[in-house]
């Protein structure tokens, strides 16, 4: 009996030590809330902003502005770019907080979606926008089409994509792939599958 009690006591003590030593990230309390109701921080499960099964090349090249943003291109079977006019999807659900044509920073037709907990995504250089400010969108909703719009630069068609947390562009994670700076790879979309 004593041996069983000692094992139980040792197991409970070990579990308590792990629980005390393990840091837990929680959202900072907002005005009018208590720390007991603060939810854990979590990056949304961002998917590629394209139709299921499409393979796109994502490139985060040296000198890209801002750092950590991704340029997406699609190529046909012959290896030629064919992304102009292709549908752009919300990579996670949320609320459209901006849908505008930028004349000052080179983004051109741009959509920004807020996903909660300080997370946002930006989609730029669109040919057209199909959502307006205030729209609620689910992951996979068409929000625009790939273009080359910019009031400042001449671009070839592509989608400029950013993941933003608390106002800063961060290293993107798309379908579990961490898009470190200078990464250039192809990936198949699982959005709307």
């Amino acid at each position: 009996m004593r041996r069983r009690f000692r094992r139980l006591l040792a197991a409970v003590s070990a579990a308590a030590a792990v629980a005390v030593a393990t840091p837990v990230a929680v959202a900072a309390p907002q005005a009018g809330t208590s720390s007991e109701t603060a939810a854990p921080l979590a990056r949304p499960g961002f998917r590629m902003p394209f139709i299921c099964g499409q393979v796109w090349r994502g490139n985060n090249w040296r000198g890209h502005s801002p750092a950590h943003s991704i340029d997406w291109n699609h190529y046909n079977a012959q290896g030629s770019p064919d992304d102009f006019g292709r549908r752009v999807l919300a990579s996670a659900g949320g609320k459209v907080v901006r849908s505008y044509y930028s004349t000052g920073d080179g983004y051109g037709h741009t959509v920004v979606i807020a996903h909660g907990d300080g997370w946002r995504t930006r989609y730029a250089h669109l040919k057209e926008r199909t959502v307006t400010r205030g729209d609620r969108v689910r992951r996979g909703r068409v929000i625009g089409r790939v273009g080359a719009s910019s009031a400042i630069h001449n671009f070839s068609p592509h989608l400029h994509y950013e993941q933003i947390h608390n106002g800063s562009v961060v290293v993107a994670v798309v379908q579990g792939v961490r898009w470190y700076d200078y990464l250039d790879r192809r990936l198949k979309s699982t959005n709307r599958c």
Side-chain angles (χ1 to χ4, degrees), residues 2-14:
R2 281 185 169 170
R3 194 175 297 158
R4 192 178 301 161
F5 177 74
R6 285 182 188 159
R7 279 190 233 150
L8 178 61
L9 184 60
V12 169
S13 297

Side-chain angles (χ1 to χ4, degrees), residues 100-119:
Y100 64 104
Y101 185 82
S102 170
T103 58
D105 57 18
Y107 281 132
H109 287 289
T110 304
V111 171
V112 178
I113 301 173
H115 307 285
D117 286 332
W119 288 99

Side-chain angles (χ1 to χ4, degrees), residues 4-76:
R4 192 178 301 161
F5 177 74
R6 285 182 188 159
R7 279 190 233 150
L8 178 61
L9 184 60
V12 169
S13 297
V18 169
V20 169
T22 304
V24 176
V26 296
Q30 302 297 313
T33 66
S34 70
S35 60
E36 288 121 34
T37 61
L41 291 176
R43 182 188 297 253
F46 293 116
R47 304 283 176 92
M48 289 177 64
F50 308 109
I51 300 293
C52 177
Q54 291 183 353
V55 176
W56 286 71
R57 175 184 174 214
N59 188 0
N60 182 330
W61 42 276
R62 185 177 301 279
H64 197 197
S65 180
H68 314 312
S69 55
I70 302 171
D71 282 352
W72 293 101
N73 290 103
H74 189 273
Y75 298 89
N76 64 20

